[in-house]
Amino acid sequence: HPSIVPYGTVFEDKNGNQVIFAVGSDKQFAALCQVLKLSALSSDPRFWRNSDRVEHRADLLIIMREAVAKLDRDSIIEELHRLSVPAGSVNNVRDAFKHPEAKRLIATHQGKAVGSRQIAFTEPGGSVADVTPPPHYAQHTRKVLREVLGLDDAAILNLEETGVVSACE
């Protein structure tokens, strides 16, 4: 972010895991420094206020990269969240879908993943229903002709034989 530091920069922990911070206030910066074991940094005149951090962005990011590289991402995030400092992990797709919120985006049918949902929320009192996959070509033709149009088996067979419809079930 051009006017807030540190905000949106990705850092790597000691295990190569990525973490991102969204520090929007000087108070949050002081808490971040505490978690990164850089308490003195928050009183350094180059970094005391956000405007100072923006001016000395390059220096600050070097110091922070070195500090984060000595620590564990999950521990950093856990402690920052306890202190109300926005931070999160940067995940690959496989790891992202391990989170309960992301799991709700996977559409399933009979226990198997069949696609993804466009939204993951439900209405109050609602639940995420088991979604059926889209039908195969002509899969429900006979059922629709019978239940929706009220045709009998002979009429449906006639439509199939004359090539008006295709059906399979």
Side-chain angles (χ1 to χ4, degrees), residues 94-116:
R94 176 174 291 152
D95 290 341
F97 275 100
K98 290 178 183 175
H99 291 273
E101 297 87 0
K103 283 182 181 179
R104 293 179 13 182
L105 290 172
I106 301 171
T108 61
H109 179 64
Q110 298 176 343
K112 295 181 182 177
V114 294
S116 63

Side-chain angles (χ1 to χ4, degrees), residues 142-156:
R142 291 184 188 118
K143 181 177 181 179
V144 170
L145 292 173
R146 190 175 299 110
E147 294 177 12
V148 177
L149 297 180
L151 299 181
D152 62 20
D153 288 340
I156 294 170

Side-chain angles (χ1 to χ4, degrees), residues 22 44 68-69 74 78 106 112 117 120 154 164 169:
D44 184 319
V68 171
D74 294 339
E78 182 179 326
I106 301 171
K112 295 181 182 177
R117 301 178 192 283
V164 174
E169 297 198 47

Side-chain angles (χ1 to χ4, degrees), residues 1 12 14 23 29 33 49 61 70 88 90 96 104 106 108 115 118 131 137:
H1 194 281
E12 279 196 12
K14 67 181 182 179
V23 176
F29 180 71
C33 289
R49 292 181 317 213
L61 295 180
K70 296 175 185 173
V90 178
R104 293 179 13 182
I106 301 171
T108 61
Q118 298 302 309
V131 177
Y137 174 73

Side-chain angles (χ1 to χ4, degrees), residues 2-39:
S3 61
I4 305 173
V5 180
Y7 194 102
T9 302
V10 176
F11 299 90
E12 279 196 12
D13 78 350
K14 67 181 182 179
N15 301 310
N17 296 314
Q18 296 180 323
V19 62
I20 191 167
F21 308 118
V23 176
S25 71
D26 298 330
K27 181 179 176 183
Q28 289 177 341
F29 180 71
L32 173 65
C33 289
Q34 174 188 335
V35 170
L36 297 182
K37 302 180 183 354
L38 298 171
S39 295

